């Protein structure tokens, strides 16, 4: 399931516009990897995963399928606290890929005449605000305006406790709508949690039973089901955090995710599911076309992505997921009948890089072997990171200091820990699974630990920034979805809990800091956005590249 925690995925998306551009850069820096690419593409992929495993940067299962047949797979488990390669793929929580299953079940009921896309939510839950205006279709493509329950702070007070349908509906009922129904698209787990309850109300069967009877059985999916608790004897894996060695972390109660994110599956079953879906084994072609018809970037429990390779475009359909420390991705290219799956159960390395690497290999393109190195920095270089930092999303401040020749960080009331330089402006404290990336010019850093990502700003800079105030009326005039034919992502500008933010397609929201009434920045990613409310446009600049986008 998605949580609106800030991430650096947007930086990768905006600074590396297409897979083709990324490949050309990779090829230039690693010519050896492009030799005999078509014949050794999986040999290079073996070396890629071996490099990750050697440095204990990967736990999970990865696979490439061609026309339903497995052509490549790798599986890494935690055994006695260490990474170990296994031949057998295990079972993982897939998070929000569950939504693709839920949308399929809903469309099956539409096909059976038991539900319609224009059916109002009021038929089932009239107590929810705007229920008489919200349709099933709006819920399927995230246009309902129902507030995302996992975004509310109270979620973390109950997410590990069993919840009844009634209790969850009562919470969702109490939240103020994020926007008017149909006004725009915005991701909300609430839509799919409620759709699961609606499926149960219509059929009289539990959601898990419906998955088993209407999807798993017809496609012979032997390892796909709704999970209640992790059972290792069923080859189910735990989520892990690296604290010296791998340690299993606390888990959600799956009743808090249900039809929005509680399914367990394997790389094999997910590929069979997506292939079966596009082969017409679950819903009619007409309903599939409705499902993949994207509006404001959202289909029905599915996303569309076009990648460019060698001046050719390939269209894939995908969903990703995140729950606990699991992160998952599944993409299917119907024309080529290629399926790509990545299932991770530890936050050790950028999952988006792994997925792009699998995609490159699947289409016969170079694979760049990562190099993990420790940098030796001078005292002058280290001093640029020193400071007292605070965050709007984290209760503790963090002090970064120099102890002799060692850079250290210390959270309020806690002991200091050493930082090891692993790349330009990037440090880690491996024993606690902490990674910090600095932007010295803007006196900011991003810290990742255990799936959580927060941005910290040097306190003196944060105080200065707060002096620039932009009226709520002006900010509201900028809110909306912006598109451009020359830019692969849509940008949504929104105000969430009083904070002015922007969000690219399929990415987490990031904060915008006012430079003036019309210009805003996200310094850590080198992003500047300038608005022209009269023309209904924004100009987004990153790394010297500017794109003009128009509000829909």
């Amino acid at each position: 399931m998605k949580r609106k925690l800030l991430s650096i995925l947007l930086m990768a998306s905006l600074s590396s516009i297409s897979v083709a551009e990324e490949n050309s850069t990779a090829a230039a820096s690693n010519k050896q990897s492009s030799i005999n690419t078509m014949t050794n593409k999986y040999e290079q992929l073996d070396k890629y995963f071996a490099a990750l495993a050697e440095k204990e940067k990967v736990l999970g299962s990865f696979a490439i399928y061609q026309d339903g047949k497995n052509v490549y797979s790798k599986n890494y488990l935690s055994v006695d606290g260490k990474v170990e390669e296994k031949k057998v793929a295990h079972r993982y929580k897939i998070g929000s890929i569950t939504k693709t299953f839920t949308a399929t079940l809903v469309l099956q009921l539409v096909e059976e005449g038991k539900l319609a896309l224009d059916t109002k939510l009021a038929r089932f839950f009239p107590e929810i605000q705007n229920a008489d205006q919200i349709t099933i279709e709006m819920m399927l493509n995230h246009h309902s305006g129902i507030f995302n329950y996992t975004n509310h702070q109270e979620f973390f007070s109950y997410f590990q406790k069993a919840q009844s349908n009634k209790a969850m509906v009562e919470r969702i009922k109490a939240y103020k709508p994020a926007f008017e129904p149909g006004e725009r698209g915005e991701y909300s787990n609430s839509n799919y949690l409620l759709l699961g309850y609606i499926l149960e109300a219509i059929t009289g069967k539990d959601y898990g039973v419906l998955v088993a009877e209407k999807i798993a059985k017809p496609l012979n999916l032997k390892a796909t089901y709704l999970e209640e608790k992790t059972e290792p004897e069923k080859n189910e894996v735990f989520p892990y955090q690296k604290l010296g060695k791998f340690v299993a972390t606390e888990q959600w109660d799956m009743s808090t995710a249900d039809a929005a994110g509680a399914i367990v599956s394997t790389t094999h079953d997910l590929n069979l599911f997506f292939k079966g879906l596009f082969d017409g084994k679950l819903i009619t072609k007409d309903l599939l076309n409705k499902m993949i018809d994207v509006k404001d970037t959202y289909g029905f429990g599915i996303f569309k992505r076009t990648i460019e390779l060698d001046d050719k475009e390939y269209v894939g359909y995908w969903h990703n997921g995140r729950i606990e420390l699991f992160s998952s991705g599944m993409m299917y290219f119907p024309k080529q009948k290629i399926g790509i799956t990545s299932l991770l159960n530890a936050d050790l390395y950028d999952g988006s890089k792994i997925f792009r690497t699998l995609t490159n290999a699947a289409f016969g393109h170079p694979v760049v072997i990562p190099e993990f190195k420790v940098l030796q920095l001078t005292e002058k270089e280290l001093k640029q990171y020193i400071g007292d930092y605070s965050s709007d999303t984290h209760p503790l401040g963090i002090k970064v200091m120099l102890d002799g020749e060692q850079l250290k960080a210390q959270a309020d009331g806690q002991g200091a820990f050493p930082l090891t330089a692993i790349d330009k402006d990037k440090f880690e404290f491996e024993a606690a699974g902490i990674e910090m990336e600095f932007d010295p010019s803007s006196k900011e850093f991003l810290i990742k630990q255990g799936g959580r990502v927060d941005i910290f700003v040097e306190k003196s800079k944060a105080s200065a920034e707060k002096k620039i105030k932009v009226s709520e009326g002006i900010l509201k005039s900028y809110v909306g979805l912006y598109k451009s034919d020359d830019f692969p992502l849509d940008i949504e500008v929104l105000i969430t809990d009083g904070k002015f933010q922007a969000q690219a397609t399929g990415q987490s929201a990031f904060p915008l800091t006012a430079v003036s009434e019309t210009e805003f920045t996200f310094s850590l990613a080198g992003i500047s956005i300038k608005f022209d409310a009269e023309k209904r446009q924004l100009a987004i600049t990153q790394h010297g590249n500017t794109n003009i986008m128009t509000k829909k």
Side-chain angles (χ1 to χ4, degrees), residues 207-219:
Y207 176 77
V209 173
L210 293 173
V211 171
E213 291 182 353
K214 296 173 76 67
I215 296 179
K217 185 177 180 179
L219 297 180

Side-chain angles (χ1 to χ4, degrees), residues 75-87:
N75 309 288
Y76 295 96
L77 292 180
S78 171
V79 180
D80 297 326
K82 299 292 183 180
V83 173
E84 189 171 307
E85 184 176 354
K86 295 290 184 179
K87 290 185 178 180

Side-chain angles (χ1 to χ4, degrees), residues 46-154:
D46 280 341
K47 292 179 181 179
Y48 174 84
F49 280 112
L52 293 181
E54 181 184 359
K55 296 297 182 179
E56 296 194 324
K57 293 291 186 181
V58 63
L59 283 181
S61 287
F62 315 93
I64 300 171
Y65 279 73
Q66 176 70 61
D67 199 16
K69 296 179 181 179
N70 179 232
V71 294
Y72 185 84
S73 64
K74 281 289 178 182
N75 309 288
Y76 295 96
L77 292 180
S78 171
V79 180
D80 297 326
K82 299 292 183 180
V83 173
E84 189 171 307
E85 184 176 354
K86 295 290 184 179
K87 290 185 178 180
V88 178
H90 282 55
R91 303 175 184 188
Y92 295 74
K93 293 178 184 177
I94 62 172
S96 283
I97 300 178
T98 299
K99 292 179 174 66
T100 314
F101 287 80
T102 302
T104 301
L105 291 170
V106 170
L107 291 174
Q108 287 178 337
L109 289 189
V110 171
E111 185 177 336
E112 295 167 11
K114 297 177 181 178
L115 191 63
L117 293 177
D118 61 0
T119 299
K120 299 294 196 298
L121 177 60
R123 172 180 162 186
F124 306 98
F125 299 109
E127 65 270 36
I128 291 177
Q129 296 183 61
N130 295 331
D132 59 340
Q133 303 173 52
I134 296 170
T135 66
I136 296 298
E137 181 170 357
M138 290 177 183
M139 298 172 72
L140 284 167
N141 64 12
H142 296 290
H143 279 67
S144 70
I146 301 173
F147 183 81
N148 185 359
Y149 72 95
T150 59
N151 280 356
H152 199 282
Q153 190 173 359
E154 73 166 340

Side-chain angles (χ1 to χ4, degrees), residues 217-380:
K217 185 177 180 179
L219 297 180
N220 196 28
L221 309 184
K222 297 180 179 180
T224 299
Y225 45 85
L226 192 70
E227 188 184 66
E228 293 183 4
K229 64 177 181 179
T230 300
E231 299 178 78
E233 59 270 20
K234 292 184 180 179
N235 281 344
E236 296 173 6
V237 298
F238 288 100
Y240 286 99
Q241 184 173 354
K242 191 174 183 184
L243 301 172
K245 65 178 183 178
F246 291 107
V247 178
T249 61
E250 294 182 344
Q251 300 181 68
W252 296 20
D253 188 285
M254 289 297 97
S255 63
T256 64
D258 206 49
I263 285 180
V264 165
S265 191
T266 62
T267 55
H268 175 77
D269 275 12
L270 286 177
N271 275 282
L272 282 182
F273 169 56
F274 269 69
K275 184 177 185 299
L277 179 62
F278 280 87
D279 284 351
K281 294 182 179 181
L282 297 173
I283 57 176
T284 66
K285 183 177 180 180
D286 286 345
L287 285 174
L288 177 63
N289 287 337
K290 283 185 175 292
M291 185 179 192
I292 63 177
D293 183 21
V294 174
K295 180 181 180 182
D296 298 332
T297 75
Y298 299 106
F300 295 173
I302 205 163
F303 298 98
K304 178 181 178 181
R305 182 182 176 190
T306 301
I307 66 169
E308 297 179 7
L309 293 167
D310 291 338
D311 297 323
K312 295 180 180 179
E313 289 189 344
Y314 302 94
V315 177
Y317 294 90
W318 66 283
H319 211 295
N320 61 340
R322 185 157 190 119
I323 186 168
E324 300 162 1
L325 290 185
F326 291 93
S327 60
S328 56
M330 172 68 217
M331 182 177 289
Y332 186 72
F333 296 83
K335 189 172 181 179
Q336 293 76 29
K337 294 188 177 182
I338 291 175
I340 300 167
T341 314
S342 171
L343 301 176
L344 293 157
N345 61 317
D347 192 13
L348 305 168
Y349 189 73
D350 188 343
S352 64
K353 289 183 179 179
I354 294 175
F355 203 90
R356 287 198 298 273
T357 299
L358 286 166
T359 304
N360 288 347
F363 284 91
H365 270 250
V367 169
V368 179
I369 313 303
E371 295 181 5
F372 299 100
K373 53 192 176 183
V374 175
L375 303 181
Q376 297 297 324
L377 302 180
T378 66
E379 182 179 353
K380 180 180 179 181

Side-chain angles (χ1 to χ4, degrees), residues 470-489:
V470 180
S471 72
E472 184 178 359
I474 291 176
L475 293 179
K476 283 184 175 180
S477 72
Y478 301 145
V479 168
L481 186 71
Y482 294 78
K483 295 174 173 283
S484 171
D485 292 338
D486 300 321
F487 195 67
L489 304 176

